[in-house]
Amino acid sequence: GHSLGALFALHASFQRPALFHDFIIASPSTWWDDHFIDRQIDDRITSSTQVPGNFVVLVGKEESTDGRIAAAAQLDPEFRPPLVEPPRDMAADAETLATRLACAVDHDSRVWFHRLQGEHHVSVPPIAVSHGLRILFDAPGSSLLATPVERTGS
């Protein structure tokens, strides 16, 4: 899933864990509903109810606050969209999500994370599908596409 679709995929993994086993989480909109998905992950971590499944979390490097400001500055001021306040750093939020998710998955599962160089929110989906499938199916060279996220505190 991408953006809000990524949140749907995460929510499905928590509510219906037998539905899917592998997930590509692209540019997740973790800010939605006051970080609703973070609360779901916290519930899994504190209850020790682990999530089965493998997760590849990918985000555009330009989805950072600085990247969004730089991209907006290149647009004609007449067409420049306003930045939300406070500015969202979706790249940092995705990395935090991957780190926390690694603590919530069961011990047979894995989480990978990568910031896609030069990519922004709308350019991420096709690259995420390609990289995500290669990682999940352990295609040759897939170890170069994302870094496994280590569990901490479990």
Side-chain angles (χ1 to χ4, degrees):
H2 173 254
S3 195
L4 290 173
L7 295 190
F8 174 77
L10 287 164
H11 180 71
S13 75
F14 300 151
Q15 299 304 314
R16 307 268 186 199
L19 200 55
F20 300 103
H21 187 265
D22 296 318
F23 299 86
I24 300 171
I25 306 299
S27 301
S29 296
T30 60
W31 52 266
W32 187 79
D33 195 18
D34 195 28
H35 292 267
F36 167 76
I37 204 67
D38 292 334
R39 293 191 303 275
Q40 284 196 332
I41 293 172
D42 286 344
D43 289 347
R44 295 294 173 171
I45 293 170
T46 57
S47 71
S48 297
T49 306
Q50 296 179 319
V51 179
N54 298 304
F55 295 82
V56 179
V57 181
L58 300 159
V59 66
K61 189 171 182 182
E62 302 308 316
E63 292 186 76
S64 67
T65 303
D66 290 342
R68 294 176 63 224
I69 290 170
Q74 294 177 7
L75 298 174
D76 184 307
E78 181 179 349
F79 301 106
R80 190 176 301 157
L83 290 175
V84 294
E85 291 297 331
R88 296 184 186 122
D89 188 337
M90 291 181 70
D93 288 349
E95 187 167 8
T96 299
L97 172 85
T99 301
R100 296 172 75 235
L101 192 55
C103 296
V105 297
D106 66 27
H107 288 283
D108 294 327
S109 300
R110 296 183 69 190
V111 176
W112 294 266
F113 175 76
H114 186 69
R115 290 184 191 217
L116 299 166
Q117 183 70 31
E119 304 301 332
H120 50 86
H121 199 67
V122 297
S123 66
V124 165
I127 299 166
V129 170
S130 174
H131 285 191
L133 289 174
R134 290 166 62 194
I135 291 163
L136 291 169
F137 287 103
D138 199 22
S142 62
S143 63
L144 304 174
L145 299 176
T147 305
V149 179
E150 299 297 323
R151 288 179 175 82
T152 58
S154 62

